[in-house]
Amino acid sequence: MSPKELVLALFTAAFTDHDPEAARALVTADYIQHNPQVPTGAEGLKGLVPLVEQSGMSVTTHRVISEGDLVVLHSTFDNADAFGAPSLAAFDVFRVEDGKVAEHWDNLQPIPETTMSGRGMTDGPTEVTDLDRTEENKALVLGFVRDVLGGAAPEKAPMYSEVYMQHNPQLADGIDGLIAGTKAWAEQGFVITKFEPQIVVAEGNFVFVASDATVSDQPWAFFDLWRVEDGKIVEHWDVVSPTPAQMVHDNGKF
C-alpha cells in the first residue's frame, strides 16, 4: 500500500469499522503517539478503538495530502461529545515507516455554529492539483508563515495573497481580516510571541504546516492548511488548541 492507502486503512479500521486488531496490525509495536490523552504504543491505539465505538462518534475525511513518509488527513468528527464537543474539526498527521504507521500527531477544535466568513471549518475545494508546483508552493507558504505569522516582516503580507478565503471561525476573509483579527486578539491579551513550524507537508496546491506557538506565555499548537493558486495563497483552514501541561506520555505535542 502507498502511505495514503495505509493511513486511510488505519483510519477506517479505528474510526469506521471499530476493529482494534486490524488497527493494531497496521502500526508499529512502538507506535509513537503525540495526542496528549492517548497512551503511546500500539496497545494505546488498540485501547482507544472501543472507546470510539462506544461513544457513537463518526468521522468524515475531507482532504488527504501526502509527501514522502508523511500523510495529513483533514476531517470532521461528529457525535463527539465524549471527546469534548458535538462536532470537532481535526488534522491528523501520520508518519509511515517500512510499510506500517509509526507516529501520529493531531489537533482538534470544536466547530462553532457560526463563523466570521460564513464558511465552515472543513468545507471548500478538496482536489489536489499542480503537482509540478509542490516545492514552489511550499516555499511560498513557509515564507508567509515566517514573515506574517512569525512576525519577521508582516508588511509583506499583501505580496503573498490577493484573495484569502478564510475558514478560521474567528477571522474575516482577506489579509486585512487576518491582520484585524490578530490585532483584536492582542488587544484581548492573546499575544503570539513564538510561531515555529515543526511539520511541513506539501502536495501540489495544498501546503500543511504544524507549528509550536506561544500565546500569552502559554504553549499552543497551530495546525494550518493553505491552498495555493497561480503563485498566491487563496484559501486557509486551521485547527488551533492550547497544549496541555500534562500528557499521558512523554512524547510531547510534537
Side-chain angles (χ1 to χ4, degrees), residues 42-121:
E43 293 304 313
L45 173 63
K46 182 178 174 181
L48 173 66
V49 175
L51 299 178
V52 171
E53 182 175 21
Q54 292 165 17
S55 73
M57 184 173 68
S58 61
V59 62
T60 302
T61 297
H62 308 280
R63 292 169 191 84
V64 184
I65 67 169
S66 178
E67 183 181 17
D69 61 357
L70 295 174
V71 180
V72 178
L73 305 185
H74 189 199
S75 307
T76 301
F77 290 95
D78 291 309
N79 302 315
D81 298 83
F83 295 88
S87 295
L88 296 165
F91 281 112
D92 288 88
V93 186
F94 298 88
R95 180 175 63 83
V96 173
E97 182 180 286
D98 297 329
K100 292 202 172 183
V101 180
E103 193 164 7
H104 170 252
W105 303 259
D106 67 352
N107 223 26
L108 300 104
Q109 181 180 339
I111 297 175
E113 293 184 4
T114 60
T115 66
M116 285 282 289
S117 68
R119 296 186 180 85
M121 290 188 69

Side-chain angles (χ1 to χ4, degrees), residues 110-254:
I111 297 175
E113 293 184 4
T114 60
T115 66
M116 285 282 289
S117 68
R119 296 186 180 85
M121 290 188 69
T122 56
D123 59 357
T126 62
E127 183 183 3
V128 175
T129 63
D130 301 330
L131 291 176
D132 59 327
R133 303 185 74 167
T134 295
E135 291 303 319
E136 173 189 341
N137 291 340
K138 183 195 293 187
L140 176 76
V141 166
L142 287 176
F144 177 80
V145 171
R146 178 192 66 241
D147 290 340
V148 180
L149 302 184
E155 70 278 3
K156 293 183 178 180
M159 83 176 211
Y160 288 101
S161 178
E162 295 171 358
V163 175
Y164 196 83
M165 291 178 278
Q166 182 63 259
H167 294 266
N168 178 300
Q170 297 179 338
L171 296 175
D173 280 343
I175 291 295
D176 289 345
L178 171 63
I179 294 172
T182 303
K183 181 179 178 181
W185 290 340
E187 291 172 350
Q188 295 167 23
F190 297 100
V191 180
I192 299 174
T193 54
K194 181 179 82 169
F195 202 93
E196 297 179 353
Q198 303 295 310
I199 304 169
V200 182
V201 181
E203 185 178 15
N205 56 328
F206 286 105
V207 182
F208 169 85
V209 181
S211 301
D212 183 20
T214 299
V215 181
S216 301
D217 298 322
Q218 299 299 315
W220 282 66
F222 284 68
F223 283 33
D224 294 270
L225 180 68
W226 287 272
R227 185 171 65 87
V228 180
E229 191 174 280
D230 297 328
K232 296 286 186 179
I233 296 171
V234 295
E235 197 158 5
H236 169 254
W237 300 259
D238 65 357
V239 173
V240 179
S241 70
T243 300
Q246 300 295 322
M247 302 187 187
V248 298
H249 50 66
D250 297 323
N251 299 329
K253 183 73 175 181
F254 294 102

